[in-house]
Amino acid sequence: MRLEALRGPAGEVLDFQWSSLNAAAEHFVHDWGVPSCVSRWVQQGLRGVELEACVRVWATGVPLSSTLRLSRDGLDACFQVVGVKEADGLALWLLEPSPEDAAGLRDALEREREARRRAEGALENTRDVQAREELLRLALSKARMVAWEWTEARRVVTWSQDADAFFGQAPATLGTSLPSFLSCVVVEDRHRVARGIEQALAVDGAYTLKFRCRHADGTTHWYEAVGQSFHEAERPHRMVGVVADCTEREQAESALREAEERYRLAARATHDVLWDCDLATGRVRWDAGQEELFGYGRDAADHELGWWTQRLHPDERDAVADGLRDFVASTRDAWQAEYRFLRHDGSWAHVLDRGVLSRDAAGRPVRMIGSMMDITERKHALERLAEEAEFRERFIGILGHDLRNPLNAITLSARALRRRAPISSTQQQMAQRIEASAERMGTMISDILDLTRARLSGGIPLQVAPANLSTVCQQVVEELSAVHPDRYIAFDVDGRCDGLWDADRLAQVLSNLVGNALEHGAQDAPVLLRCLDYETRQVVEVHNPGAPIPAPQLATLFDPFRQAGAAREKGRRRGGLGLGLFIVREIVHAHGGSVDVRSSELDGTTFTVTLPRDARRAAR
């Protein structure tokens, strides 16, 4: 009986159908009603020859030996079946077993079973190999790697799947030879790669190579090859390996090297010593900059934390060491300390030490990295500047104080001269001019003394007592109205005006602000002085129309030696040292208050002073 394979759309075997029968087979098929397709034999009571067994014979070529049992209409029969692959189908022989050849039949069946076991084992091994190859392909793809092999017998290079795309080349570019592969390597690396392969072939063992390839799109990628060469009789007979794309790693390492180089150069430029402390062992590593800064040898580059502690200045050792321990035990991430550190030559360096803390996943401190900056020269320079500034300000204070005596004599003499009679009108004018100039000079001296007190004592001292700001304002308005009889000063009070302040100092503030408004405001417009009650705060506003203060001057308006509204002066005569607004700010700050200014072409200029009701706490 000949069986023809029936195939599906993809070429797979779906069934077997008999195509030709000999005479005995025709009798068998007719008598037992055997269907034409093997898949239907079971339904017709035929047991022992299944479709799966036939497919296995066709696929492996291993013959089939089985017993076919038939059952129909109460009749049973048994045939010995032998099946072999033939062309695109099978050939089946059905034999009726006899007692004399039963032993031979058993031997044949046993041999068939053994052959089947071997065929099935080979098929299983084939499946295992295919599965391992698939796993290797997936692993290489996920790891961005390709594998290759060279054997002496074949003298060609075999690449794993998609190797051309891995190197960014068109299909079939790599080929099977070394020259075709080297054509993908950048020109600068070709000689080194070829030499490395030759050395790997010459030595029985592992090898590694790093090189660059130019992709078809113009980009350059880094690759690293790792593998093994095998020798027989001192000759290379096989070489295998994998190639990994390490572009991202190389770029990261290059960026890290550049960052380290920049940090090293920055440390040299700023005279820093970089250090790294392992908190688990207490070991500290310094970079080479400490030799230049502190003069210790290279043996001091790796030391215990106690070595550093012993070289802190005795006056600062406990505070700095305790501060570092407290910082490590805290939840903060940054530490800073300024102290004196012992150099190798016995001198003391002023250093600014800063560090950051690194913690593990559980939040425990494990490492600390920082830098020590030598600020000795800066420290000495600041000390010299402070000494010079203190000397200048003391000199100014002493000078201002000593000038009062001759100035008082000039003022008294001018007043006495005015009161003597008879004197001419010219002499009277000259005496008045002398007295006014002396008063102006006295104001300058007072400003200089206030500046000195503010700089040396940390603020202007106050004599705080109960005071009424409305009374102070009224007094200032009367005094300035007498000096400027042609100008009008409007005064308005809203709410209560009592508090604990230094009345004389506030009079000085208001006199300065209203005087500036009279001097710099529009000459034909009034100046407005207002007292406003805001429960716990007292607010005073001084407003004048006129040209605004230029915006660039607003930021430095309260600095010493600045002339308020200088740009607004069009030939107007100026006087003073430019300390008025500085002293205004210092007096207000001494009260715990603030002073602000707004100035525009539309709204004019307004100075606003805000004071607490009780200035005793700020004046302490």
Side-chain angles (χ1 to χ4, degrees):
M1 179 184 295
R2 294 184 182 277
L3 301 179
E4 180 184 357
L6 300 180
R7 299 178 179 273
E12 71 276 18
V13 175
L14 300 178
D15 207 344
F16 288 92
Q17 179 180 1
W18 50 264
S19 59
S20 62
L21 306 170
N22 60 11
E26 289 179 355
H27 175 73
F28 167 78
V29 170
H30 180 268
D31 290 346
W32 291 94
V34 178
S36 60
C37 294
V38 175
S39 62
R40 297 172 55 196
W41 285 11
V42 175
Q43 300 174 2
Q44 296 298 322
L46 282 74
R47 302 286 189 274
V49 179
E50 288 81 19
L51 176 62
E52 291 79 3
C54 295
V55 172
R56 186 161 51 248
V57 173
W58 179 87
T60 63
V62 178
L64 169 68
S65 178
S66 180
T67 300
L68 179 65
R69 300 182 185 277
L70 299 91
S71 177
R72 182 177 179 184
D73 300 331
L75 298 176
D76 294 327
C78 181
F79 293 89
Q80 180 64 33
V81 179
V82 176
V84 296
K85 181 178 180 181
E86 185 177 88
D88 196 29
L90 300 176
L92 293 183
W93 284 271
L94 279 70
L95 307 174
E96 293 185 8
S98 59
E100 55 270 15
D101 61 0
L105 181 58
R106 284 195 297 271
D107 292 341
L109 289 174
E110 184 62 31
R111 288 193 300 272
E112 186 273 335
R113 292 190 187 98
E114 182 62 27
R116 182 186 300 175
R117 284 194 295 269
R118 287 197 299 270
E120 290 176 349
L123 184 60
E124 187 65 27
N125 290 337
T126 301
R127 292 195 186 99
D128 290 343
V129 171
Q130 292 175 345
R132 287 195 293 270
E133 289 179 350
E134 180 64 17
L135 287 175
L136 177 60
R137 187 187 67 80
L138 290 175
L140 291 174
S141 175
K142 295 300 182 182
R144 300 176 63 185
M145 303 171 78
V146 294
W148 65 277
E149 180 184 22
W150 173 89
T151 59
E152 185 183 19
R154 298 181 60 193
R155 308 293 294 181
V156 296
V157 179
T158 304
W159 293 94
S160 62
Q161 189 176 1
D162 299 329
D164 293 294
F166 175 78
F167 288 106
Q169 307 300 320
T173 302
L174 290 178
T176 59
S177 65
L178 178 62
S180 61
F181 163 69
L182 289 177
S183 66
C184 304
V185 179
V186 299
V187 177
E188 296 83 359
D189 295 349
R190 288 178 187 173
H191 177 74
R192 180 171 53 81
V193 172
R195 180 62 178 165
I197 294 175
E198 292 178 3
Q199 292 175 350
L201 283 171
V203 179
D204 187 1
Y207 70 91
T208 181
L209 282 173
K210 187 179 287 188
F211 56 91
R212 293 167 293 170
C213 281
R214 187 89 63 192
H215 283 206
D217 61 4
T219 60
T220 301
H221 287 234
W222 277 93
Y223 295 94
E224 186 173 23
V226 180
Q228 177 84 27
S229 61
F230 302 91
H231 286 215
E232 284 186 359
E234 298 183 354
R235 287 179 56 82
H237 78 97
R238 185 168 178 249
M239 196 173 182
V240 295
V242 294
V243 182
D245 188 335
C246 60
T247 304
E248 293 182 359
R249 185 186 68 192
E250 191 67 24
Q251 291 173 346
E253 291 176 352
S254 177
L256 180 60
R257 287 192 297 269
E258 292 178 2
E260 289 177 347
E261 179 66 13
R262 286 196 299 270
Y263 196 45
R264 185 181 62 82
L265 293 176
R268 290 183 58 186
T270 57
H271 297 285
D272 281 7
V273 174
L274 307 181
W275 53 266
D276 186 347
C277 178
D278 186 339
L279 297 176
T281 62
R283 300 294 299 180
V284 180
R285 293 190 300 275
W286 277 359
D287 71 349
Q290 62 86 16
E291 298 181 37
E292 179 181 353
L293 248 60
F294 303 131
Y296 293 102
R298 294 188 177 181
D299 54 340
D302 191 337
H303 56 263
E304 297 285 346
L305 189 60
W307 183 91
W308 165 79
T309 306
Q310 293 172 1
R311 283 157 180 78
L312 300 178
H313 194 279
D315 295 345
E316 301 158 347
R317 181 177 300 151
D318 292 341
V320 175
D322 292 345
L324 180 60
R325 281 192 294 270
D326 293 343
F327 164 72
V328 172
S330 71
T331 58
R332 292 178 291 134
D333 294 325
W335 170 79
Q336 178 174 310
E338 188 174 325
Y339 55 86
R340 285 167 289 179
F341 186 75
L342 183 64
R343 294 192 182 99
H344 186 263
D345 60 6
S347 61
W348 293 100
H350 290 270
V351 299
L352 176 61
D353 204 349
R354 292 166 290 188
V356 293
L357 200 61
S358 176
R359 304 178 186 273
D360 61 13
R364 293 183 296 265
V366 295
R367 187 181 182 191
M368 193 170 175
I369 300 175
S371 65
M372 293 173 62
M373 178 186 293
D374 188 348
I375 59 172
T376 306
E377 292 299 325
R378 183 193 308 175
K379 196 80 172 178
H380 292 166
L382 290 175
E383 290 173 354
R384 288 193 297 269
L385 289 175
E387 291 175 357
E388 292 174 1
E390 184 176 357
F391 172 77
R392 288 195 300 269
E393 292 183 353
R394 286 187 181 277
F395 175 78
I396 291 173
I398 294 172
L399 181 62
H401 185 272
D402 291 346
L403 283 176
R404 286 187 179 277
N405 292 331
L407 188 60
N408 289 335
I410 293 173
T411 302
L412 293 174
S413 299
R415 288 177 181 172
L417 183 61
R418 288 176 56 197
R419 292 170 182 169
R420 288 182 60 184
I423 59 173
S424 64
S425 60
T426 302
Q427 291 173 335
Q428 184 75 17
Q429 291 176 356
M430 292 176 63
Q432 289 177 350
R433 192 176 299 122
I434 292 172
E435 186 175 355
S437 298
E439 289 179 357
R440 200 159 47 247
M441 186 175 293
T443 302
M444 294 180 186
I445 292 174
S446 297
D447 289 346
I448 290 175
L449 292 177
D450 285 339
L451 171 66
T452 304
R453 293 190 189 99
R455 288 291 182 85
L456 294 181
S457 304
I460 294 178
L462 302 180
Q463 299 294 327
V464 178
N468 187 284
L469 196 58
S470 175
T471 304
V472 176
C473 291
Q474 189 64 45
Q475 175 187 344
V476 170
V477 169
E478 292 174 357
E479 291 176 354
L480 292 178
S481 295
V483 177
H484 301 272
D486 55 337
R487 300 295 300 279
Y488 175 65
I489 304 174
F491 175 48
D492 181 34
V493 177
D494 183 4
R496 65 191 183 105
C497 299
D498 56 316
L500 293 171
W501 304 302
D502 187 330
D504 292 337
R505 287 296 187 181
L506 291 183
Q508 188 177 353
V509 168
L510 296 173
S511 179
N512 252 307
L513 295 179
V514 176
N516 281 340
L518 292 169
E519 182 177 358
H520 301 300
Q523 297 299 302
D524 57 350
V527 171
L528 175 61
L529 174 61
R530 300 178 62 198
C531 274
L532 306 174
D533 175 18
Y534 286 91
E535 295 183 359
T536 60
R537 296 175 293 123
Q538 182 72 48
V539 174
V540 180
E541 291 183 350
V542 179
H543 171 76
N544 66 271
I549 301 173
Q553 293 186 16
L554 290 175
T556 60
L557 192 62
F558 294 96
D559 292 348
F561 306 110
R562 298 279 183 174
Q563 295 287 346
R568 296 186 291 169
E569 299 301 318
K570 303 296 183 181
R572 190 179 301 174
R573 186 175 179 274
R574 297 298 316 279
L577 299 173
L579 295 175
L581 291 179
F582 169 75
I583 293 171
V584 165
R585 184 186 65 182
E586 293 299 315
I587 294 174
V588 173
H589 285 180
H591 280 82
S594 63
V595 57
D596 302 292
V597 59
R598 302 187 309 274
S599 187
S600 66
E601 188 75 35
L602 179 62
D603 299 327
T605 301
T606 301
F607 283 85
T608 303
V609 176
T610 304
L611 300 170
R613 289 287 175 193
D614 189 347
R616 288 177 297 182
R617 180 174 299 179
R620 290 175 184 173

